[in-house]
Amino acid sequence: MEEIKKAILDFAEGSKKTKFYFSDIAKAVHKILPDAKSREIKKAATALINEEKLIYFSLGSTTMYGLKGRGITEDH
Amino acid sequence: MAFEPKEPQKKLKYKELRIYSDEELNNYTEEELKDFKCKHDIPDLDELEKGPWPSFVADAKREALHRRKLAEDRMMVGRDVVEDLMGILQLSFDHGETHWKHGGIVGVFGYGGGVIGRYSDVPEQFPSIVHFHTLRVNQPNSKFYNTDYLRTLCDLWEYRGSGMLNMHGSTGDIIFLGTTTEQLEPVFYELGHVLQQDLGGSGSNLRTPSCCLGKARCEWSCIDTQDMCYELTHFYQDELHRPAFPYKFKFKFDGCPNGCVASIARADMSFIGTWKDNIRIDQEAVQAYIGGELKPNAGAHSGRDWGKFDIQKEVINLCPTKCMWMEDGKLMIDNKECVRCMHCINVMPRALRPGSDTGCSILCGGKAPILEGAQMSMLTIPFMKCEPPYDNIKDVVDKIWDWWMEEGRNRERLGELIQRHGVPKFLEILDIPPMPQMVTEPRSNPYIFWKEEDVEGGWKRSIEDYRARHKR
Ligand code: HEM
Ligand code: HEM
Ligand code: SF4
Ligand code: SF4
């Protein structure tokens, strides 16, 4: 779990984009941790949200993840 | 079992929550309704009102008239939305194609589902419904609510939306039809923080789970469908609101094989109450049905004279596995042959009851899409005990999701994944053996393949020995 969380944050911080689809995150994590299961990645992303490191950015029919404090945030 | 809420329940003060007065709600006469003319010409919609069935057009016209007569400051979205909606529908009939654009980027903060964006592609003609988004509201379990609650929902939606709603969508949700982007957050706030009513699912996530009346109203319920539905809805909140699945996924809970929420036909995972022991028989009541003192089907078919009740013809001969008979004036059942079709129990509810060793069957892979064709879910686990907090059930769910999230293609339902990989693969994932109950005709089922280690003696055989008996 901690490894996955780290991989997600590294990916998010190293990216020029401010919003990521779950599938982008999963792909990035798989590069570092090929055996990580999608549902584990999902759970890790949720944990990061609960820790307020990531935020959800929802589009009605899909969810994107963003780094807290970058790009569009809750205030917009 | 007493209801134990997962979060403190506020006592709603409905009087304070109401937005409109009775005068405002009853603000037109039937005379005025007769004279009502929509601002657009809608000949095909008018036509829909003429048949024998009640039409949504009649309801829409009432709502349109009602909004015409409401004061301007009593509606947060356009007065004309209902009339424009009828207009755009007429235009679609004229053109034979829709004028709604699917999807679009809308939602409420923190949720990836629950709001379905709708934009019209004819904004000049129908300005009040340029954006006209739909909200899915998670229906209360078994759709139990009181009139105060309904009035409050309706008031809220009259004020912040089109006033039109759909009770209920196929998945069960209360559907709020049509509002502007600006109103989404206020509606979400009112629902969530004031009415304690969550949004439902949409997109590639867990859709709003739904259940039958269950033990609250129905003597046949073998499982507490409401409790299971409530527990799993809460447990899988993240899956409900933050889509990351290949496609939609539905849970439905039926208390018995009568299947009042049709879980077998409509859910990727259907939970259907069943029993392991014997159907409980009250022989005296059987005689009362035979003698005519008790009405078959609790009198449900009494609108017509069907003649004297004939247990042989109406029950025993209709048993699909022919496992019932009369012996010395007693009704006998060979329970190991019973397939729990519920027929005999439905006909003679006072005499027959499901057994008392109850649990659920889990069936997987059902779906009802319009384009790709429907399929029923397949019996996967014939019997499982259902006791809170349902850890055994959650284990199965987790295994299935792990597999589907890894292997499922974009927009591939669980049932399609099972077809693509085959039932044996699915059973391997769940770590359960194949069983005859999984198919109607086990011996002709092409999907069950044996592995060498499953077969005594393995694959090896002497071809010469075989040829000695079978010519080429
Ligand atoms: C405006 C349209 C309709 C209204 C207002 C309406 C209303 C109702 C109501 C109030 C009940 C009783 C529910 C209960 O007591 O638990 C009911 C039951 C039912 N309705 Fe409808 N209904 C409508 C249209 C339809 C249509 C179009 C169908 C099917 C084609 C249908 C099929 C049924 C069935 C199967 C039941 C259950 C019957 C039973 O188990 O006794 N309804 N409906
Ligand atoms: C508006 C449409 C319908 C209504 C209101 C309706 C209502 C009912 C009611 C009240 C019962 C008695 C339930 C009981 O006593 O357990 C019943 C039984 C039944 N209905 Fe319907 N029904 C409708 C449509 C249909 C259709 C379209 C089918 C088949 C295609 C169907 C097949 C049956 C069968 C097989 C039973 C007997 C179940 C049993 O006793 O085991 N019904 N229906
Ligand atoms: S599914 Fe069975 S238990 Fe549930 S309401 Fe229908 S008849 Fe009753
Ligand atoms: S439930 Fe169906 S299969 Fe079982 S005994 Fe009754 S009629 Fe026969």
Side-chain angles (χ1 to χ4, degrees):
Chain A
M1 181 70 133
E2 292 308 315
E3 279 183 323
I4 300 177
K5 275 159 67 176
K6 186 174 176 312
I8 295 175
L9 285 179
D10 288 350
F11 163 70
E13 279 158 7
S15 168
K16 282 198 205 78
K17 289 192 199 157
T18 59
K19 298 281 170 288
F20 318 97
Y21 283 107
F22 177 75
S23 54
D24 298 343
I25 292 179
K27 219 180 266 167
V29 172
H30 279 142
K31 259 190 215 146
I32 298 160
L33 306 163
D35 292 333
K37 290 202 155 144
S38 296
R39 235 166 91 65
E40 291 304 317
I41 302 171
K42 178 88 197 308
K43 283 180 188 160
T46 302
L48 285 170
I49 283 163
N50 293 337
E51 291 165 20
E52 305 198 341
K53 289 178 183 148
L54 290 185
I55 56 161
Y56 281 119
F57 181 78
S58 50
L59 304 172
S61 62
T62 186
T63 309
M64 294 182 91
Y65 295 80
L67 266 179
K68 193 163 173 80
R70 250 174 62 185
I72 302 175
T73 64
E74 291 94 330
D75 311 328
H76 288 76
Chain B
M1 196 182 57
F3 174 61
E4 283 169 27
K6 308 251 179 220
E7 56 198 57
Q9 302 282 296
K10 278 187 273 182
K11 183 120 187 79
L12 297 179
K13 298 203 181 80
Y14 286 110
K15 280 224 169 65
E16 292 165 25
L17 291 171
R18 295 302 307 276
I19 296 171
Y20 298 104
S21 66
D22 285 353
E23 291 71 49
E24 281 175 304
L25 291 179
N26 299 298
N27 66 356
Y28 63 88
T29 64
E30 295 299 306
E31 278 309 305
E32 288 173 290
L33 182 66
K34 268 193 209 115
D35 297 335
F36 173 82
K37 264 199 74 62
C38 177
K39 72 179 206 182
H40 306 285
D41 221 11
I42 50 168
D44 293 329
L45 272 74
D46 292 334
E47 196 62 31
L48 288 177
E49 275 191 280
K50 293 181 188 159
W53 296 95
S55 169
F56 67 93
V57 177
D59 292 341
K61 284 182 177 172
R62 282 182 181 270
E63 178 60 11
L65 176 58
H66 176 234
R67 287 181 82 88
R68 266 196 203 171
K69 301 195 71 182
L70 270 180
E72 189 63 39
D73 61 350
R74 303 294 278 152
M75 294 165 289
M76 301 300 286
V77 310
R79 176 188 295 287
D80 293 345
V81 289
V82 182
E83 294 188 54
D84 275 355
L85 183 82
M86 292 193 275
I88 201 173
L89 182 56
Q90 178 64 46
L91 189 70
S92 298
F93 285 154
D94 293 341
H95 292 170
E97 56 192 17
T98 183
H99 285 284
W100 294 110
K101 298 186 275 190
H102 191 272
I105 300 181
V106 282
V108 290
F109 209 87
Y111 276 29
V115 182
I116 297 116
R118 285 288 181 275
Y119 296 88
S120 132
D121 64 9
V122 276
E124 289 83 17
Q125 260 170 292
F126 307 104
S128 74
I129 53 169
V130 176
H131 21 157
F132 205 60
H133 313 310
T134 294
L135 278 111
R136 292 197 178 144
V137 180
N138 193 329
Q139 80 280 6
N141 269 355
S142 311
K143 310 185 178 76
F144 282 0
Y145 28 63
N146 62 19
T147 47
D148 276 335
Y149 173 81
L150 283 179
R151 279 181 222 281
T152 308
L153 281 186
C154 290
D155 271 19
L156 170 64
W157 193 238
E158 186 79 84
Y159 188 58
R160 298 201 177 273
S162 71
M164 284 184 290
L165 35 75
N166 176 357
M167 308 288 283
H168 296 246
S170 333
T171 300
D173 308 85
I174 298 168
I175 312 281
F176 280 3
L177 294 164
T179 195
T180 55
T181 310
E182 299 75 58
Q183 291 303 320
L184 292 173
E185 289 293 348
V187 174
F188 183 46
Y189 183 88
E190 290 290 325
L191 284 172
H193 294 273
V194 182
L195 291 173
Q196 294 193 292
Q197 184 61 63
D198 203 359
L199 292 187
S202 69
S204 292
N205 64 7
L206 176 64
R207 298 301 180 85
T208 316
S210 74
C211 61
C212 78
L213 307 181
K215 293 200 166 169
R217 297 283 294 164
C218 186
E219 292 180 15
W220 290 328
S221 197
C222 298
I223 52 177
D224 190 341
T225 57
Q226 295 185 315
D227 189 55
M228 280 178 82
C229 190
Y230 186 63
E231 170 64 31
L232 269 68
T233 304
H234 277 260
F235 191 75
Y236 293 120
Q237 277 292 293
D238 198 56
E239 280 73 14
L240 221 164
H241 297 306
R242 280 108 204 193
F245 284 156
Y247 200 17
K248 62 178 101 167
F249 197 95
K250 299 182 183 181
F251 289 148
K252 291 190 195 295
F253 306 88
D254 277 313
C256 82
N258 273 341
C260 290
V261 291
S263 63
I264 193 171
R266 309 192 301 159
D268 299 85
M269 258 183 110
S270 334
F271 301 89
I272 304 181
T274 188
W275 61 95
K276 261 205 299 200
D277 51 347
N278 297 338
I279 292 180
R280 288 174 284 172
I281 310 183
D282 174 345
Q283 295 291 356
E284 255 174 60
V286 173
Q287 289 307 321
Y289 280 107
I290 295 173
E293 295 101 68
L294 289 174
K295 289 203 169 72
N297 292 87
H301 303 300
S302 55
R304 198 180 127 179
D305 185 9
W306 297 90
K308 192 173 163 358
F309 175 66
D310 179 344
I311 193 171
Q312 187 67 38
K313 190 166 134 240
E314 292 172 47
V315 180
I316 296 176
N317 290 356
L318 294 181
C319 170
T321 54
K322 303 279 178 282
C323 68
M324 311 180 91
W325 69 97
M326 294 300 291
E327 200 172 299
D328 303 331
K330 290 203 157 141
L331 179 67
M332 310 296 281
I333 300 177
D334 182 2
N335 277 279
K336 69 180 191 308
E337 295 299 332
C338 167
V339 291
R340 281 108 178 109
C341 80
M342 291 297 289
H343 174 69
C344 58
I345 298 174
N346 288 337
V347 178
M348 307 195 295
R350 290 278 289 276
L352 301 174
R353 286 190 293 162
S356 43
D357 186 2
T358 56
C360 78
S361 299
I362 301 178
L363 296 87
C364 295
K367 64 194 179 92
I370 298 165
L371 291 179
E372 306 255 326
Q375 86 188 19
M376 298 248 209
S377 51
M378 172 191 79
L379 186 94
T380 308
I381 297 178
F383 188 88
M384 205 167 228
K385 275 274 165 208
C386 297
E387 276 148 19
Y390 311 103
D391 288 337
N392 53 345
I393 307 261
K394 290 171 189 166
D395 275 353
V396 179
V397 172
D398 284 344
K399 279 184 191 160
I400 290 177
W401 283 350
D402 277 344
W403 183 53
W404 182 51
M405 282 182 73
E406 288 307 316
E407 299 292 336
R409 291 180 180 152
N410 190 27
R411 296 179 77 80
E412 184 172 52
R413 294 283 287 270
L414 176 64
E416 290 151 351
L417 178 65
I418 296 172
Q419 277 182 333
R420 184 158 63 83
H421 279 262
V423 173
K425 180 73 199 167
F426 182 53
L427 300 181
E428 216 176 287
I429 297 298
L430 294 178
D431 199 19
I432 52 176
M435 288 167 271
Q437 292 97 322
M438 284 169 182
V439 283
T440 42
E441 301 169 87
R443 278 154 212 88
S444 63
N445 168 34
Y447 295 109
I448 302 287
F449 296 105
W450 300 101
K451 288 188 172 159
E452 184 156 11
E453 59 267 27
D454 297 333
V455 180
E456 215 180 314
W459 293 155
K460 286 179 221 63
R461 57 172 184 175
S462 151
I463 190 75
E464 290 76 25
D465 177 46
Y466 178 82
R467 283 287 161 239
R469 283 174 285 117
H470 303 267
K471 274 218 165 59
R472 249 212 134 80

